Amino acid sequence: MNPEIRVRFAPSPTGYLHVGSLRTALYNFLYARRNSGKFILRIEDTDQSRFVEGAVENLISTMQAVGLEYEEGPYFQSQRTEIYQDYARQLIEKGAAYHCFCTPEELEIRRQEQIERGEDGKYDGRCLLLSREEAAHRLQQGDAYVIRLRVPREGEIIFHDLVREKVVFPWDMVDDQVLIKSDGYPTYHLANVVDDHLMQITHVIRGEEWLSSVPKHLLLYQQLGWHPPKMAHLPLLLNPDKSKLSKRQGDVAVEDFLKKGILPETLINFVALLGWHPAGDREIFSLPELVNAFSLKRISKAGAVFDQDKLKWMNGQYLRNLNLNIIAERAKVFFQEKGYPINDHEKYLKLIDFGRQRVSLLSEMPVELKTFFLPPEFGAEDRLILQQEKSRRLLELWADKLNSARQITAEEITTLLQESSQLLEIRGKDLYSPLRLALWGSCHGPDLSLLIDILGREESVNRLQKALRGGKE
Ligand code: GLU
């Protein structure tokens, strides 16, 4: 039997969830679910200088909001430093890593010199020449140090990536990577490899920007005597002009997309298609459908364009097709933000059902539906229409009829339209425009019976009368 599939999402919390990180999390989640495996959350927070208050809580709540549940974790690397230090010691003992006492200032001067000579700004290996005794002496003196990985100077490393296939890196491109920093915390590389091993990760699925770290990681696995997991590096995310996707939070934060009124369902569906293609040309997939369809084999090498227009289009599809109650529930907060009261749930549902045909973001809903909450204002052109003799007679007739009607059904509205048409000898635009203007503030708008139904009799009559007064209260 194959061992259980175990994958992880290993973010370094920055305070917000980048859409690229959401894709990494999603593909790991899908792969785990597809293969009845485990999806693990590991917080890679060993860089103390990047600590952001509340970042982890925010990350977890955003994952919950889009439905990415994990089976294990969160593990925190900042709570596991002793484990990494132990392994760093083992590496030193076998000569696979060494203490380096060069100060940041010395390193910077040497780096500048290397660049002037046209060389790569890599560590020159100076402390590798220290004897064990010298190193021990300096440690005893309390000199500050880091621990570096000893990387071969020649030859190349070849490995297989599930997406990139055969990958070759010459060792002279690889630096003697710092494994433990002078504050005693591990770097990403050491902690990542140790944890992937200890947490029995079978597949590492992450962004392409980590591909160049693989040689160091494989060297660590080898030196620690461990078997490396399989790797899959996901294609870069690009702007429509093919430049690398921005890191500006406002453009790429999952939280901000949700706040604008992109539905979680849309975001998941959209992000799933950034670099993975299902068989066939279907584009709309729910999360369970994605689980069924997902495979690492269908991930492409080519960069994936993040097209915000397509995201909005897809959100429009979800707004129109998801269950009305769900949309209504999700839209509530946007009405509350504007201070628009929702008193009658049934009418609110009708309102949302009307609005969802016309917007592509939930946040556009109260803007589109504003006239249901605030009486219309009229401009000069509107007044010209409203003050025509026939319009006035029409509005008076309607105010009167609505006022005295016991209840107003769609049939009664149809009858009233026919009656007014005959009585006043008007039809088409002359009939509909003044009514819509009075009730809705524009000659184009919802079906009159829907409009009157949602506004209610009293408000409809008020609006007709206000229009008769030329818009004055
Ligand atoms: N901590 C890394 C990040 O922030 C994890 C990369 C990996 O998955 O190995 O993305």
Side-chain angles (χ1 to χ4, degrees):
M1 212 179 81
N2 285 333
E4 180 187 51
I5 300 284
R6 290 173 59 84
V7 293
R8 74 333 187 249
F9 174 45
S12 304
T14 53
Y16 70 94
L17 185 60
H18 189 283
V19 280
S21 303
L22 175 63
R23 181 189 60 174
T24 301
L26 175 62
Y27 285 13
N28 278 284
F29 171 91
L30 294 176
Y31 192 64
R33 288 287 157 103
R34 177 84 190 104
N35 295 288
S36 313
K38 293 262 172 357
F39 175 50
I40 295 155
L41 176 62
R42 184 173 75 221
I43 306 296
E44 301 209 325
D45 56 350
T46 58
D47 190 345
Q48 294 297 296
S49 65
R50 295 219 186 136
F51 178 78
V52 181
E53 186 73 44
V56 174
E57 293 75 6
N58 180 59
L59 180 104
I60 292 175
S61 69
T62 309
M63 285 178 69
Q64 272 168 354
V66 294
L68 297 187
E69 286 166 29
Y70 42 88
E71 279 81 31
E72 251 184 69
Y75 297 107
F76 291 88
Q77 288 190 326
S78 59
Q79 295 168 3
R80 299 165 56 82
T81 45
E82 280 164 24
I83 302 177
Y84 313 123
Q85 283 161 351
D86 262 1
Y87 285 109
R89 265 193 293 277
Q90 285 183 28
L91 288 165
I92 289 187
E93 271 159 31
K94 60 180 301 213
Y98 59 95
H99 290 102
C100 167
F101 300 94
C102 299
T103 65
E105 295 75 28
E106 289 166 350
L107 291 173
E108 186 47 34
I109 293 171
R110 269 142 52 191
R111 206 176 67 88
Q112 287 303 337
E113 289 168 359
Q114 284 171 323
I115 291 172
E116 273 162 34
R117 289 198 299 270
E119 297 167 11
D120 289 345
K122 281 193 339 190
Y123 182 62
D124 60 8
R126 191 165 300 204
C127 287
L128 196 52
L129 304 174
L130 292 177
S131 67
R132 268 178 194 263
E133 293 70 37
E134 277 171 300
H137 176 68
R138 293 195 64 172
L139 287 174
Q140 224 169 13
Q141 260 177 224
D143 287 1
Y145 67 91
V146 300
I147 296 177
R148 285 184 186 274
L149 178 65
R150 185 173 180 175
V151 172
R153 296 281 179 259
E154 284 167 0
E156 57 187 22
I157 175 166
I158 301 174
F159 58 91
H160 182 84
D161 183 85
L162 295 173
V163 177
R164 315 290 319 177
E165 298 172 8
K166 183 179 167 189
V167 184
V168 183
F169 270 99
W171 279 118
D172 70 5
M173 276 177 65
V174 183
D175 208 355
D176 275 7
Q177 178 63 51
V178 173
L179 300 176
I180 299 279
K181 293 175 282 187
S182 55
D183 62 5
Y185 279 92
T187 54
Y188 152 74
H189 303 280
L190 178 65
N192 188 270
V193 163
V194 167
D195 280 348
D196 281 347
H197 173 74
L198 295 181
M199 296 173 189
Q200 298 172 322
I201 299 303
T202 55
H203 294 71
V204 166
I205 305 168
R206 64 184 168 197
E208 192 176 299
E209 62 273 30
W210 302 104
L211 188 68
S212 59
S213 298
V214 175
K216 297 170 206 171
H217 294 187
L218 291 179
L219 184 60
L220 280 168
Y221 280 106
Q222 191 200 339
Q223 297 291 20
L224 289 163
W226 297 338
H227 187 67
K230 293 201 167 72
M231 310 237 174
H233 286 85
L234 311 175
L236 290 178
L237 295 186
L238 307 172
N239 291 311
D241 68 2
K242 300 284 160 77
S243 59
K244 201 172 164 219
L245 188 63
S246 140
K247 286 220 186 304
R248 286 217 332 264
Q249 180 169 350
D251 302 334
V252 290
V254 170
E255 295 83 343
D256 291 348
F257 286 116
L258 296 175
K259 271 191 219 132
K260 270 187 243 169
I262 297 283
L263 296 159
E265 289 83 354
T266 311
L267 211 48
I268 287 291
N269 190 158
F270 179 79
V271 162
L273 298 176
L274 295 175
W276 168 81
H277 303 275
D281 47 18
R282 178 171 155 203
E283 289 202 292
I284 303 294
F285 287 85
S286 67
L287 191 55
E289 287 167 343
L290 286 170
V291 168
N292 260 330
F294 189 75
S295 88
L296 292 176
K297 289 199 182 75
R298 302 196 72 89
I299 294 176
S300 54
K301 289 196 190 72
V305 173
F306 187 87
D307 178 353
Q308 302 239 12
D309 291 338
K310 182 166 175 195
L311 177 62
K312 278 185 85 174
W313 167 81
M314 193 179 269
N315 203 51
Q317 299 295 311
Y318 272 95
L319 280 175
R320 295 188 243 309
N321 296 316
L322 272 186
N323 176 295
L324 178 61
N325 285 301
I326 295 181
I327 302 294
E329 199 46 47
R330 302 255 176 84
K332 256 185 194 156
V333 45
F334 294 93
F335 287 92
Q336 280 156 0
E337 271 170 17
K338 294 265 180 199
Y340 294 165
I342 298 163
N343 304 322
D344 181 330
H345 186 66
E346 235 166 81
K347 284 192 180 167
Y348 173 64
L349 285 183
K350 288 183 186 166
L351 197 62
I352 295 298
D353 204 19
F354 168 73
R356 68 170 170 170
Q357 307 297 333
R358 309 178 154 238
V359 297
S360 47
L361 294 173
L362 282 176
S363 56
E364 292 167 354
M365 205 73 107
V367 182
E368 182 69 26
L369 301 174
K370 154 168 140 249
T371 323
F372 282 108
F373 298 91
L374 305 170
E377 307 283 335
F378 305 116
E381 276 183 36
D382 302 334
R383 284 203 193 90
L384 274 181
I385 301 178
L386 291 170
Q387 278 158 17
Q388 281 170 18
E389 184 52 27
K390 284 200 171 166
S391 304
R392 296 188 61 82
R393 287 177 58 198
L394 174 72
L395 300 184
E396 273 163 11
L397 177 74
W398 276 63
D400 197 38
K401 290 272 186 189
L402 292 187
N403 214 1
S404 55
R406 235 182 284 147
Q407 51 168 353
I408 311 152
T409 62
E411 291 85 61
E412 275 154 335
I413 297 289
T414 314
T415 318
L416 192 50
L417 279 166
Q418 284 162 356
E419 274 177 27
S420 351
S421 170
Q422 278 164 9
L423 196 70
L424 305 171
E425 296 178 334
I426 47 175
R427 53 187 142 105
K429 221 171 73 191
D430 293 339
L431 177 62
Y432 289 97
S433 292
L435 288 169
R436 285 229 172 87
L437 254 185
L439 293 165
W440 177 248
S442 154
C443 297
H444 308 282
D447 178 65
L448 278 175
S449 55
L450 176 77
L451 186 52
I452 292 170
D453 180 21
I454 296 177
L455 288 176
R457 190 173 54 169
E458 200 180 327
E459 178 62 15
S460 303
V461 172
N462 283 344
R463 289 187 180 192
L464 291 163
Q465 285 169 345
K466 187 177 162 191
L468 281 164
R469 292 192 301 271
K472 292 191 199 72
E473 287 305 328

